[in-house]
Amino acid sequence: MAEVATVEKEPLFSKKNRQLLKDPLDDQNPITVQVLGICSALAITTQVKNAVVMTLSVMFVMMAGNVIISILRNRIPDRIRIIVQLVVVAALVILVDQVLKAFVYDVSKQLSVFVGLIITNCIIMGRLEAFALANKPWPSLLDGFGNAIGYGWVLVIVAVVRELFGSGKLFGIELLGNATAKTGLYSIGYMNNNMIILPPMALILVGIIIWIQRARNTQLIESH
Amino acid sequence: MKLFKNLFDSLRPPFEKGGKFEKLWPLLDGFETFMFVPGHSTKKGAHIRDGIDLKRTMITVVIALVPCLLFGMWNVGHQHFLAVGQDAELMEKFIYGAIKVLPLVIVSYGVGLGVEFIFCIKNGHSIQEGFLVSGMLIPLIMPVEVPLWMVAIATAFAVVFGKEVFGGTGMNILNPALTARAFLFFAYPTKMSGNSVWVATDGMATVDGFTGATALGNAVEKGMAGVPPYMDSIMGWIPGSIGETSVIAILIGAGVLIYSGIGSWRIMLSMLIGGYVMGMIFNAWEANAYMQIPAHHQLMLGGFFFGMVFMATDPVSASQTATGKWIYGFFCGLLGILIRVVNPAYPEGIMMAILFMNVMAPLIDHYVIQANINKRLKRAKVAA
């Protein structure tokens, strides 16, 4: 009993727990370092709004999934753990899908299948397998939050660049003027870059982020 | 020359290690080797150096491009005066064209070399001359009315993502000039295709019947009826990208490249064969008007020859093995005509085909070398 008591005393934001939040932002970023969840990063980053909604959805699924699996971790038989994880994640995703449809229908339509595909987002399954199955609910919650933010900041940066240069807008506001009416920058011959809307350019943008990150954080550079 | 030598000698000290401008050493080195053969010798391995180093190689290609550039300038003027229905002298056309084309050349070189210098200074490399050729190729494969800022963006993109991310000159997977063009084609399609960009009209009224479409643009709609006569296609007084229209000017360049051994005749010949074969297949098929254009005429249109002589033969991004060059060239030609005819939305089939084969080139080389190894292994076993 004494041992349990000492563990309970660990502060909510101990150094270890803070690390759980900090690591996924840089050293263990799910997109730029582990290169997971690329599919959704390419598909839904043409508009910042979509990227933000996607991030929030993934954040909810990841945090809730982590906590549920962490609570169940001692009761899940090892052999069927993947199925159990899938059931939990699928249930959460359906929940998210219904909420999006009810409150932000237009965004939900644009995200289309990619909401449903959150189930297959490698980051979520990865965190459940690698972290929640072996840790207590509170650290699991922090881990889920940290990874969702790590996923989100890359998504939002890519989306800002793509929306700004691809359609001249941010959050749907025409920052650079109207392309069809030729106002603002467009009146002096500026044009939207169609290539940046295409998925390959999103991949190149993620590549640039990886490039900058590794130039700043040299311990990420593989030695060979 | 003594003057320059003394100038460089007096300039050098602050740029050397420990000096004030140590970081700018690549800049001085780059300019000095333009004038003089580098004085340093290899530290290990082979000590025999050929007089023809990278700089000489690149300059030879630039020289080979001069006929295309000059003809392109004249043709820009020629097309302009045809379109607005005025008569003009040879020099008048040429000067008009030069005024249109030179800014493109300057922007391409300025931006490209600027980016290259930044990377060299940051990484402490000496400057590589790879961009000398790309900087000349980029304006030659642009429509004359493309805005300069687009050329600048495309050039920067091509140098950074076509070359520098892979490790600079000699390490690139894709041809940088074609990367620039492909970028523009997908980024700003309205300025890279269609009827309004190929002929400079300066907003003047055009003569009746003027469309401004290229030969390939017309061919899609009208087949043989839209294509200029055979001789015109060869001589090149038709609308098109600046340097690509004249087969004659390109062949002069090809002669220089083949004679000096810098361009691979294997790639050129096999690409010609590949394009001709595909043309013949379409001639036999005849499913639409476009396919009925005779194979020998099909090859003279668009960027086929320019791509064949100056793009496909890029020694870095092409196959390295002799057998590989035959395969690589053949498919460049075959796919180029295939893309052009089957998908009229991509009249730049040659560009796509060469970029695609650039990616495939290492694979081709791998199998060619592996086949050779296997052949020799077999021989060794028989002997034993």
Side-chain angles (χ1 to χ4, degrees):
Chain A
M1 280 310 279
E3 202 185 312
V4 174
T6 52
V7 175
E8 298 258 302
K9 262 188 210 157
E10 189 185 346
L12 281 183
F13 288 99
S14 65
K15 196 167 179 229
K16 213 173 86 201
N17 285 350
R18 283 205 307 271
Q19 205 61 35
L20 287 178
L21 283 174
K22 228 169 69 186
D23 263 356
L25 297 186
D26 189 5
D27 290 358
Q28 285 297 326
N29 189 282
I31 292 189
T32 62
V33 177
Q34 298 172 0
V35 198
L36 300 173
I38 291 291
C39 177
S40 57
L42 303 193
I44 52 94
T45 49
T46 48
Q47 287 180 19
V48 185
K49 199 170 162 196
N50 293 357
V52 171
V53 172
M54 188 69 177
T55 306
L56 292 177
S57 311
V58 168
M59 188 183 290
F60 169 73
V61 174
M62 193 127 68
M63 288 165 75
N66 261 2
V67 170
I68 293 171
I69 292 295
S70 175
I71 292 170
L72 296 175
R73 70 185 188 282
N74 294 326
R75 306 195 183 281
I76 302 173
D78 231 19
R79 278 190 186 174
I80 59 159
R81 67 182 196 283
I82 300 280
I83 296 291
V84 175
Q85 288 164 12
L86 272 179
V87 169
V88 170
V89 176
L92 291 168
V93 168
I94 290 170
L95 210 63
V96 167
D97 194 22
Q98 295 301 320
V99 169
L100 290 186
K101 274 191 182 138
F103 294 105
V104 279
Y105 185 63
D106 55 326
V107 176
S108 157
K109 269 194 99 168
Q110 281 173 10
L111 292 176
S112 66
V113 295
F114 290 98
V115 178
L117 284 178
I118 294 177
I119 300 172
T120 61
N121 193 321
C122 321
I123 303 173
I124 292 173
M125 290 296 281
R127 290 333 289 174
L128 294 182
E129 269 290 291
F131 197 88
L133 269 178
N135 286 284
K136 296 196 163 157
W138 174 245
S140 299
L141 186 76
L142 292 181
D143 181 76
F145 182 72
N147 274 284
I149 294 291
Y151 169 81
W153 75 254
V154 178
L155 234 63
V156 169
I157 289 183
V158 173
V160 164
V161 176
R162 287 183 81 185
E163 190 175 355
L164 187 62
F165 293 105
S167 30
K169 298 174 189 168
L170 267 185
F171 285 105
I173 301 162
E174 292 169 335
L175 278 187
L176 304 180
N178 190 307
T180 38
K182 297 245 180 278
T183 58
L185 259 185
Y186 296 98
S187 60
I188 54 168
Y190 176 80
M191 287 172 90
N192 285 329
N193 189 325
N194 286 356
M195 178 135 166
I196 234 162
I197 300 288
L198 302 175
M201 204 60 194
L203 198 64
I204 290 174
L205 289 172
V206 173
I208 296 175
I209 294 177
I210 293 178
W211 185 3
I212 296 172
Q213 190 190 11
R214 290 185 185 209
R216 292 164 53 98
N217 190 347
T218 42
Q219 71 195 45
L220 291 176
I221 299 172
E222 296 90 347
S223 56
H224 59 74
Chain B
M1 280 323 242
K2 191 112 188 156
L3 180 78
F4 285 117
K5 183 89 191 122
N6 289 338
L7 179 68
F8 278 115
D9 282 345
S10 66
L11 274 177
R12 197 174 300 121
F15 287 94
E16 275 171 342
K17 240 190 165 61
K20 226 192 304 179
F21 303 120
E22 186 190 340
K23 279 211 138 60
L24 294 174
W25 165 252
L27 208 66
L28 181 83
D29 184 55
F31 281 113
E32 191 177 0
T33 46
F34 258 120
M35 312 288 295
F36 301 103
V37 175
H40 45 79
S41 56
T42 42
K43 300 215 166 45
K44 53 182 179 180
H47 286 272
I48 301 170
R49 286 182 75 107
D50 197 333
I52 182 158
D53 59 2
L54 194 58
K55 217 159 246 180
R56 292 344 112 172
T57 313
M58 293 300 171
I59 285 294
T60 314
V61 184
V62 174
I63 291 170
L65 280 166
V66 166
C68 293
L69 179 69
L70 294 181
F71 183 88
M73 286 179 181
W74 173 81
N75 193 39
V76 166
H78 179 66
Q79 295 302 330
H80 166 76
F81 288 112
L82 271 189
V84 299
Q86 288 175 6
D87 286 325
E89 297 296 312
L90 175 81
M91 276 319 283
E92 224 176 315
K93 290 175 181 174
F94 186 80
I95 289 169
Y96 179 86
I99 292 170
K100 284 279 173 192
V101 175
L102 282 180
L104 292 174
V105 179
I106 294 167
V107 166
S108 155
Y109 269 118
V111 173
L113 288 178
V115 174
E116 197 124 313
F117 279 144
I118 292 171
F119 270 90
C120 283
I121 290 170
K122 218 164 156 45
N123 297 338
H125 293 169
S126 59
I127 284 164
Q128 303 277 322
E129 295 76 18
F131 193 75
L132 287 184
V133 172
S134 308
M136 186 56 100
L137 285 173
I138 289 172
L140 289 183
I141 51 176
M142 294 292 163
V144 61
E145 288 284 55
V146 66
L148 292 177
W149 66 270
M150 288 183 186
V151 178
I153 291 179
T155 308
F157 178 86
V159 173
V160 176
F161 291 99
K163 204 154 80 173
E164 292 301 339
V165 289
F166 296 110
T169 303
M171 315 287 265
N172 44 310
I173 295 172
L174 302 170
N175 182 324
L178 281 183
T179 311
R181 195 181 202 284
F183 175 82
L184 279 189
F185 180 71
F186 286 106
Y188 307 106
T190 50
K191 288 287 175 192
M192 287 301 285
S193 51
N195 294 348
S196 61
V197 292
W198 304 102
V199 177
T201 54
D202 291 339
M204 283 192 249
T206 53
V207 293
D208 288 347
F210 170 79
T211 62
T214 60
L216 291 178
N218 278 330
V220 175
E221 286 166 22
K222 296 177 242 165
M224 202 53 213
V227 172
Y230 196 51
M231 270 325 279
D232 287 9
S233 319
I234 291 183
M235 297 309 293
W237 33 71
I238 52 176
S241 295
I242 292 165
E244 69 168 18
T245 55
S246 171
V247 175
I248 301 290
I250 294 165
L251 284 181
I252 296 171
V256 174
L257 290 185
I258 293 174
Y259 180 74
S260 61
I262 286 169
S264 161
W265 60 270
R266 287 189 182 89
I267 292 177
M268 295 186 204
L269 185 60
S270 58
M271 184 163 167
L272 194 63
I273 295 171
Y276 194 73
V277 166
M278 199 67 224
M280 292 302 276
I281 292 173
F282 281 132
N283 286 167
W285 190 359
E286 289 197 324
N288 60 33
Y290 203 162
M291 291 186 189
Q292 289 168 1
I293 298 172
H296 61 87
H297 199 156
Q298 176 78 265
L299 297 189
M300 300 301 158
L301 299 173
F304 188 90
F305 262 77
F306 196 83
M308 182 179 94
V309 172
F310 295 110
M311 299 295 185
T313 55
D314 175 2
V316 180
S317 53
S319 279
Q320 307 292 320
T321 53
T323 319
K325 281 177 180 165
W326 284 107
I327 301 170
Y328 165 88
F330 184 79
F331 280 102
C332 278
L334 195 84
L335 292 174
I337 301 294
L338 179 75
I339 297 171
R340 177 199 279 184
V341 175
V342 172
N343 188 348
Y346 291 163
E348 289 87 346
I350 309 299
M351 168 182 90
M352 309 283 181
I354 295 175
L355 283 175
F356 180 71
M357 291 311 291
N358 279 170
V359 178
M360 291 293 150
L363 189 73
I364 297 172
D365 279 341
H366 171 79
Y367 282 109
V368 168
I369 292 171
Q370 208 55 46
N372 197 25
I373 292 173
N374 290 345
K375 200 172 80 188
R376 283 172 170 244
L377 273 181
K378 226 184 228 166
R379 208 187 308 161
K381 268 182 206 139
V382 171

